[in-house]
Amino acid sequence: MSSNENPTLSISHELALDRDCTTLSRHVLQQLQSFGPNAQDLSALMNRIALAGKLIARRLSRAGLMEDALGFTGDVNVQGEAVKKMDLYANEVFISVFKQSGLVCRLASEEMETPYYIPENCPIGRYSLLYDPIDGSSNVDINLNVGSIFSIRQQTGDDPDQTGQDLLQDGHQQLAAGYILYGPSTVLVYSIGKGVHAFTLDPSLGEFILSEENIKIPRHGPVYSVNEGNFWQWDDALRDFTRYVHRHEGYTARYSGALVGDIHRILFQGGVFLYPGTLKNSQGKLRLLYESAPLAYLIEQAGGRASTGRQTLLDVVPTHLHARTPLIIGSQEDVELVESFIEERDRQHDEELIPTS
Ligand code: AHM
Ligand code: MG
């Protein structure tokens, strides 16, 4: 070392450089400690998801200046919801990115009634990508945060009528899951069953760079995140929980209208997100395969809990591709608190049913 070199400075430079070099694909390989074919596949799949995220982030960042980027298409999707131009664009981005990958045989999303097959990838690929291309679409036209949610599953059976029947399995079958949050910066959070890690898009490099490794959700947090406008439509247990947080110090409400943003906050700060069943939709609004299950996988990997209120969310087997479930997700203690209100009301209900002699 020359006499004018500062050792502390050079160590911190080295660390910074090392961090700058931890790209998503390298991280996947490091996590799996392998360069074998499966590890290469997962690394390539994550790389493709990252590319889709970059393309969507680019369009979102300029949407207000473009003709035809914002607003509705005039169509209604399989869920009966009005489709936005960004929904359609993002859905097509994922398809086109994976068409070229050679790895994914089919894609299933919120915007398509049945899975989209890429026959030329099927003999070798046999991975399925399930995704919500733009989650929180109501935020798009007002320049607030939105997200994409993704889940990768290995195709285990044949699907002769191409309706995705073999995808109707529980959430433990996911190989990888995560989300991309399009906020002040674009952040990709993922898990391949080895912890939860966040990458921030560095626009000058055009790369997602590791920004937070092994994220652990606090066991308890102050946030409760729910659309309280639906209070009148909830059952008593959910009203009991809401009254509880209103009457106890230490809780604060946060609800952005985009699940990904709300979950991101809870992942880092702790708390609970709820989308329970309502009078209009007994199973709530959120779809299991490409919204709730991937987020449940991620939150469990971070040490949290996800539940329908009566069942661990990852245990739920959907009855159809676009099946919905109530979702209660976040810090272990806060989810358990909500579950305790449900259990108590169920107990009272059972007691009422017992005939008195
Ligand atoms: P989307 O995927 O069609 O945008 O719907 C899902 C979104 C979630 O991001 C969000 O938590 C929820 O819908 C908000 O719904 P509501 O307006 O009923 O509170
Ligand atoms: Mg959604």
Side-chain angles (χ1 to χ4, degrees), residues 81 110 132 134-137 227 230 255 257-259 273 275 285-287 291:
E81 296 158 351
E110 182 175 326
D132 181 357
I134 295 283
D135 175 68
S137 322
N227 185 344
N230 291 332
Y255 191 75
L259 174 64
F273 175 95
Y275 209 112
K285 177 178 183 189
L286 302 173
R287 277 74 29 143
E291 289 179 321

Side-chain angles (χ1 to χ4, degrees), residues 241-261:
F241 167 75
T242 315
R243 289 190 193 104
Y244 176 91
V245 295
H246 287 174
R247 289 170 188 166
H248 287 78
E249 203 182 335
Y251 289 98
T252 186
R254 292 285 184 275
Y255 191 75
S256 73
L259 174 64
V260 167

Side-chain angles (χ1 to χ4, degrees), residues 10-11 14 20 32-33 44 62 74 97 107 114 123 137 143 169 202 239 251 254 274 333:
S10 69
I11 287 170
E14 233 172 70
D20 278 356
L32 294 171
Q33 296 181 324
R62 298 185 310 199
V97 155
L107 298 96
T114 53
S137 322
N143 193 32
Q169 298 191 35
D202 181 334
R239 296 183 192 186
Y251 289 98
R254 292 285 184 275
L274 308 97
E333 287 177 12

Side-chain angles (χ1 to χ4, degrees), residues 138-291:
S138 75
N139 281 5
V140 163
D141 295 341
I142 46 166
N143 193 32
L144 291 179
N145 71 278
V146 290
S148 300
I149 306 174
F150 60 87
S151 163
I152 298 168
R153 292 182 183 231
Q154 193 115 40
Q155 205 163 318
T156 50
D158 286 326
D159 185 19
D161 56 358
Q162 304 207 338
T163 55
Q165 281 301 306
D166 59 312
L167 285 170
L168 307 182
Q169 298 191 35
D170 65 54
H172 300 286
Q173 311 305 322
Q174 296 173 101
L175 289 181
Y179 59 77
I180 304 163
L181 170 64
Y182 310 101
S185 59
T186 301
V187 177
L188 187 154
V189 180
Y190 90 108
S191 178
I192 48 173
K194 294 184 180 299
V196 176
H197 318 286
F199 287 71
T200 301
L201 180 62
D202 181 334
S204 64
L205 291 172
E207 279 282 7
F208 281 100
I209 301 295
L210 180 65
S211 46
E212 196 92 26
E213 212 171 12
N214 288 318
I215 303 161
K216 290 288 169 215
I217 183 170
R219 275 192 68 76
H220 160 71
V223 172
Y224 73 100
S225 186
V226 64
N227 185 344
E228 283 195 63
N230 291 332
F231 185 91
W232 66 277
Q233 293 201 61
W234 296 338
D235 61 24
D236 288 331
L238 268 298
R239 296 183 192 186
D240 292 344
F241 167 75
T242 315
R243 289 190 193 104
Y244 176 91
V245 295
H246 287 174
R247 289 170 188 166
H248 287 78
E249 203 182 335
Y251 289 98
T252 186
R254 292 285 184 275
Y255 191 75
S256 73
L259 174 64
V260 167
D262 291 329
I263 293 288
H264 193 68
R265 178 195 293 278
I266 287 170
L267 175 63
F268 283 89
Q269 299 177 350
V272 60
F273 175 95
L274 308 97
Y275 209 112
T278 58
L279 275 182
K280 287 183 190 159
N281 293 310
S282 65
Q283 296 303 301
K285 177 178 183 189
L286 302 173
R287 277 74 29 143
L288 181 68
L289 281 171
Y290 43 80
E291 289 179 321

